[in-house]
């Protein structure tokens, strides 16, 4: 590959015209033999940071990755671009492994993917001694951190790379690493490394958090109105919810399947395979699903239940829109989420310090869910990044109305207090709101709560608003919910300040729901295509599906959605014009150019 520049490789092999962010700097640094640590969010474009230097340097680039399940697809995608790539892991039959090793010795490979345990074996190290190595790329480098949740002991031993092959540059890459983890990666794996830290913003993801009313119906509406026929992930907390929701979606004509740790392993694997291999499928899953899912064309991630931390929310929503095209992160959220997550923490067997930490993380997540200002600003601030309102979240697109609800809050708090005084160990939300609204239910009459001074004082406020207010009071620790006793409500210490008029309470209303139709273009989306383009896009997808099936690879390995959308919009009339479509490198132009032109003109 001599005589080539980083720019020409990007253009000819990958089909992109310009580098993103600091890709260029990383590539120059590593190609020149330096060590680097690269932090970029999922979908940020880490891969070319090691793939291009591997192509520019002599010898084979050795990529260490713990995600064995992904290697075959990664290699298929590279071969699709004309890159000589292979993998070595336990899933490969011995004869094929021997063939890969022979190709490495002959210098016939540009890139080889290895599992860390294999790399640590003496046999494999001897093999590498016999090869010319262009670089070592250590993917998911945060696995080296003993304190992280993905710790892998083999990663700690990868220090052998710099000892045994001191002259080979190393590049460590990850999408999740706080400052201590970054330090650990550098200390354990690298030498004089340059650190490249990208913004964690995912501008193509639109964040929305909606009031939870009838979550299944809301979800169905969201999918059928905004993402018909598109791939998405739906997360729910409980296994039975996962199964119910998957059945419900299927009953309404959506190609959905379930995934959770309690399922039969074969069924689970098959559902995951279908999700990956076929287009437009929805997977309903617990958070057991996701590690190592790098399907680039996931158009939405929906949460039916709130995650327990912002890290979790960011990681899960980050599985949407890796290809850079517009994607949705959509969540339903209600009082039950607050109660349930607090309960899970309180009932866990962890020690007090851990419970306090978990509670603080949950509170940060609640702050995000309750926010009236830009969600992205809050998300990024949580990761230490300052930013300005984004214009691509629900709060930016349709700012909630905020009104002073201190009076109503006092009514609600007093009502909780009076009911409890008058009725033993207290009452849950529904009853308290009935009393406030002056409804003469059986229960109200039975307890004589129609004689309370707070009976009917809130008749002018709709029930939904009372629920909203109550949720906000619970989220702010002004009201406690006793989940061991039928979710009865209790005033928390801090509520006194509200009752005494020393603390203001605001109520946030969302005037209209934000729908996908009115979205401004932040990356193209199938829904934003004009009818003629949409028709062409459908034909291109159908063609791509055939190609993928006949070749036994996932559709996105053939061509990405974003590439098809760009073709559908631009209708390029010639090979020259096709060349300017992002994602069409020389190999793909040679393989598919004529067919694409025929589809465009046909
Ligand atoms: P990750 O950081 O998650 O590993 P990838 O390397 O898979 O991300 O890249 C995400 C997507 O961005 C891929 O579809 C990739 O082809 C695309 N991409 C990477 N670099 C560029 C670029 N310079 N221009 C356009 N698209 C790019
Ligand atoms: Zn915003």
């Amino acid at each position: 590959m001599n005589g080539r520049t980083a720019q020409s490789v990007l253009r000819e092999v990958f089909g992109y015209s310009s580098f993103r962010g600091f890709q260029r700097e990383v590539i120059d640094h590593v190609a020149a033999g330096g060590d680097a640590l690269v932090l970029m969010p999922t979908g940020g474009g880490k891969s070319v940071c090691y793939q291009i230097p591997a192509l520019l340097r002599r010898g084979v680039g050795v990529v260490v990755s713990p995600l064995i399940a992904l290697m075959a697809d990664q290699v298929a995608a590279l071969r699709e671009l004309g890159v000589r790539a292979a993998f070595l892991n336990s899933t490969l039959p011995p004869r094929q492994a021997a063939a890969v090793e022979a190709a490495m010795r002959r210098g016939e490979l540009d890139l080889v993917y290895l599992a860390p345990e294999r790399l640590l074996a003496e046999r494999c190290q001897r093999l590498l001694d016999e090869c010319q190595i262009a670089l070592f790329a250590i993917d998911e480098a945060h696995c080296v951190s003993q304190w992280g949740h993905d710790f892998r002991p083999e990663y700690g031993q990868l220090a052998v790379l710099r000892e045994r092959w001191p002259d080979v540059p190393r590049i460590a890459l990850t999408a999740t690493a706080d400052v201590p983890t970054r330090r650990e990666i550098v200390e354990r794996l690298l030498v004089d490394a340059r650190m490249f830290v990208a913004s964690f913003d995912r501008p193509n993801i639109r964040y929305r958090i909606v009031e939870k009313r009838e979550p299944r119906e809301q979800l169905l509406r969201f999918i059928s109105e905004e993402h018909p026929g598109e791939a998405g992930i739906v997360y729910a907390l409980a296994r039975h919810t996962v199964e119910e929701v998957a059945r419900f979606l299927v009953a309404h004509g959506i190609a959905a399947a379930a995934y959770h740790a309690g399922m039969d392993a074969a069924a689970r694997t098959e559902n995951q395979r279908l999700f990956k291999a076929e287009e437009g499928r929805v997977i309903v899953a617990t958070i057991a699903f996701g590690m190592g899912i790098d399907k680039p064309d996931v158009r939405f991630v929906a949460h039916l239940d709130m995650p327990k931390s912002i890290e979790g929310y960011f990681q899960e929503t980050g599985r949407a829109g890796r290809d850079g095209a517009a994607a949705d992160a959509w969540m339903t959220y209600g009082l039950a989420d607050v109660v349930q997550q607090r309960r899970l923490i309180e009932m866990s067997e962890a020690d007090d310090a851990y419970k306090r930490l978990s509670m603080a993380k949950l509170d940060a997540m609640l702050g995000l869910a309750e926010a009236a200002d830009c969600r992205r600003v809050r998300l990024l601030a949580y990761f230490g990044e300052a930013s300005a309102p984004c214009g691509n979240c629900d709060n930016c697109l349709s700012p909630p109305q905020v009104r002073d609800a201190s009076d109503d809050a006092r009514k609600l708090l007093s009502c909780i207090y009076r009911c409890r005084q008058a009725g033993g160990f207290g009452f849950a939300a529904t009853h308290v709101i009935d009393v406030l609204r002056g409804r003469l239910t059986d229960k109200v009459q039975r307890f004589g709560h129609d004689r309370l001074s707070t009976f009917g004082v809130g008749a002018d406020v709709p029930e939904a608003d009372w629920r909203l207010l109550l949720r906000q009071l619970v989220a702010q620790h002004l009201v406690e919910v006793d989940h061991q006793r039928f979710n009865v409500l209790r005033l928390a210490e801090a509520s006194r300040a509200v009752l005494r008029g020393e603390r203001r309470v605001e109520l946030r209303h969302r005037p209209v729901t934000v729908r996908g139709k009115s979205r401004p273009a932040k990356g193209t989306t199938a829904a934003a295509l004009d009818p003629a383009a949409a028709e062409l896009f459908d034909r291109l997808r159908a063609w791509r599906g055939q190609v993928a099936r006949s070749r036994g690879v996932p559709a996105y390995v053939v061509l990405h959605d974003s590439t098809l959308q760009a073709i559908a919009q631009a209708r390029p009339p010639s090979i020259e014009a096709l060349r300017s479509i992002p994602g069409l490198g020389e190999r793909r132009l040679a393989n598919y150019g004529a067919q694409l032109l025929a589809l465009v003109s046909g």
Side-chain angles (χ1 to χ4, degrees):
M1 298 260 162
N2 283 334
R4 297 174 90 178
T5 62
Q7 182 69 44
S8 69
V9 174
L10 182 73
R11 177 72 276 267
E12 286 156 24
V13 177
F14 295 90
Y16 298 129
S17 54
S18 56
F19 286 104
R20 262 194 206 155
F22 51 56
Q23 282 175 333
R24 178 69 206 243
E25 285 74 38
V26 179
I27 291 167
D28 288 347
H29 179 71
V30 176
D35 277 12
L37 169 58
V38 174
L39 265 114
M40 259 192 211
T42 307
K46 284 185 284 302
S47 320
V48 297
C49 292
Y50 64 83
Q51 289 164 347
I52 294 182
L55 292 173
L56 292 173
R57 290 175 62 87
R58 286 182 42 169
V60 59
V62 176
V63 187
V64 189
S65 165
L67 305 174
I68 291 183
L70 293 183
M71 286 181 188
D73 285 346
Q74 283 170 328
V75 165
L78 282 167
R79 289 195 180 149
E80 191 67 22
L81 302 175
V83 175
R84 302 171 304 169
F87 64 88
L88 279 177
N89 66 33
S90 50
T91 67
L92 205 63
R95 283 189 47 191
Q96 287 183 35
V100 171
E101 291 173 2
M104 281 171 73
R105 286 199 188 86
R106 289 195 303 268
E108 289 173 1
L109 287 179
D110 301 314
L111 278 161
V112 62
Y113 286 72
L114 296 178
E117 52 277 12
R118 169 153 317 226
L119 182 50
L120 292 174
E122 181 54 33
R123 188 174 169 282
C124 181
Q125 297 188 3
R126 277 202 304 271
L127 167 69
L128 292 180
D129 282 336
E130 294 167 40
C131 303
Q132 171 137 32
I133 306 170
L135 56 79
F136 288 109
I138 301 142
D139 208 3
E140 312 289 341
H142 61 279
C143 293
V144 79
S145 166
Q146 307 215 31
W147 310 107
H149 50 295
D150 290 332
F151 174 57
R152 312 235 170 188
E154 316 85 60
Y155 261 65
Q157 298 173 43
L158 290 178
V160 68
L161 300 182
R162 65 178 176 207
E163 286 149 21
R164 190 154 176 160
W165 298 281
D167 300 331
V168 177
R170 288 153 294 253
I171 169 173
L173 311 104
T174 174
T176 56
D178 52 16
V179 173
T181 309
R182 293 173 203 177
R183 212 174 307 134
E184 242 182 306
I185 296 172
V186 172
E187 278 168 13
R188 285 164 174 266
L189 302 180
L190 309 175
V191 179
D192 292 335
R194 257 186 79 180
M195 215 187 282
F196 298 87
V197 182
S199 165
F200 270 58
D201 189 16
R202 302 285 310 278
N204 60 316
I205 298 183
R206 173 171 295 183
Y207 298 99
R208 280 147 71 188
I209 300 178
V210 305
E211 216 47 57
K212 190 184 280 190
R213 296 183 208 280
E214 309 147 305
R216 286 193 327 190
E217 282 73 15
Q218 288 170 284
L219 174 71
L220 178 62
R221 233 173 298 133
F222 165 69
I223 298 179
S224 41
E225 287 175 11
E226 301 185 29
H227 294 285
E230 294 183 329
I233 305 174
V234 178
Y235 283 112
L237 208 56
R239 293 172 185 180
H240 67 89
T241 317
V242 163
E243 303 214 340
E244 272 163 33
V245 171
R247 272 198 301 274
F248 174 80
L249 292 178
V250 168
H252 287 83
I254 291 171
Y259 185 101
H260 61 72
M263 280 167 69
D264 164 57
R268 202 171 61 205
T269 311
E270 174 62 5
N271 286 351
Q272 172 164 353
R273 189 193 68 77
L274 282 173
F275 174 71
K276 234 167 72 171
E278 296 200 349
E279 288 190 61
R281 297 192 60 99
V282 173
I283 194 122
V284 187
T286 58
I287 54 171
F289 181 80
M291 176 66 172
I293 290 300
D294 73 344
K295 188 174 163 63
D297 56 354
V298 174
R299 293 272 65 87
F300 67 89
V301 169
H303 280 95
L304 291 176
D305 301 303
M306 186 180 68
K308 60 180 194 283
S309 68
I310 290 189
E311 285 97 332
Y313 177 74
F314 187 73
Q315 196 168 38
E316 286 145 32
T317 54
R319 292 176 184 137
R322 291 181 59 134
D323 55 7
D328 271 302
W330 180 92
M331 177 170 107
T332 63
Y333 160 73
L335 177 60
D337 290 293
V338 190
V339 176
Q340 186 174 33
Q341 290 291 4
R342 288 218 178 121
R343 194 190 54 186
L344 289 174
I345 295 173
E346 278 160 22
M347 310 226 309
S348 80
E349 315 228 301
D351 60 26
D352 283 350
Y354 189 80
K355 284 186 183 177
R356 270 196 304 277
L357 181 70
S358 307
M359 211 48 107
K361 289 190 174 215
L362 177 59
D363 279 341
M365 183 64 220
L366 288 174
L368 176 70
E370 295 283 353
D373 50 3
C374 176
R375 310 257 190 220
R376 192 179 315 267
V377 167
R378 283 187 177 247
L379 262 178
L380 293 175
Y382 186 81
F383 296 108
E385 220 178 300
S387 64
C390 72
N392 195 30
C393 74
D394 49 1
N395 286 348
C396 282
L397 290 165
S398 89
Q401 291 157 0
V402 180
R403 71 168 168 90
D404 185 345
S406 305
D407 269 347
D408 289 340
R410 272 191 291 278
K411 288 178 187 168
L412 178 53
L413 292 170
S414 320
C415 193
I416 292 169
Y417 182 73
R418 299 257 175 266
C419 287
R420 194 175 166 84
Q421 244 184 354
F425 46 66
F427 296 86
T430 309
H431 180 75
V432 172
I433 293 173
D434 282 344
V435 174
L436 272 171
R437 309 233 324 124
R439 294 189 61 212
L440 265 180
T441 63
D442 285 352
K443 201 168 174 181
V444 168
Q445 287 176 325
R446 192 148 29 94
F447 287 95
H449 284 175
D450 47 339
R451 294 192 302 273
L452 293 178
S453 61
T454 50
F455 181 76
V457 295
D460 53 330
V461 175
E463 185 189 329
D465 283 16
W466 285 120
R467 290 198 169 268
L468 204 64
L469 183 59
L470 177 61
R471 192 193 72 212
Q472 292 178 20
L473 296 180
V474 173
Q476 293 175 40
H477 296 280
L478 295 167
V479 171
E480 284 164 5
V481 179
D482 188 343
H483 46 76
Q484 281 168 339
R485 278 210 199 131
F486 313 108
N487 290 338
V488 304
L489 304 177
R490 227 189 351 237
L491 299 193
E493 192 55 35
S495 67
R496 286 175 191 234
V498 177
L499 285 165
R500 284 200 299 258
E502 294 161 8
R503 176 167 169 178
R504 244 168 73 99
V505 174
E506 291 182 332
L507 183 63
R508 291 174 292 280
H509 275 280
R510 190 161 307 286
V512 278
T513 46
V514 188
R515 288 274 163 75
K517 306 234 162 64
S518 59
R519 64 171 64 216
K522 272 266 169 144
T524 40
T525 146
L529 295 174
D530 65 55
E535 185 270 336
L536 176 53
F537 178 62
D538 285 343
R539 278 192 288 126
L540 290 164
R541 280 221 304 186
W543 163 81
R544 177 180 65 178
Q546 285 169 5
V547 175
R549 267 191 303 280
S550 72
R551 310 251 318 273
V553 294
Y556 59 78
V557 166
V558 178
L559 286 172
H560 281 182
D561 274 5
S562 45
T563 301
L564 297 189
Q565 282 163 10
I567 297 174
Q569 244 160 2
R571 297 188 163 262
S574 63
I575 289 283
E576 258 334 290
L578 269 181
R579 216 178 280 282
S580 64
I581 298 288
L584 288 179
E586 292 307 322
R587 174 63 61 107
R588 280 179 169 148
L589 281 176
N591 283 349
Y592 305 130
Q595 293 176 63
L596 288 171
L597 290 179
L599 282 156
V600 168
S601 63

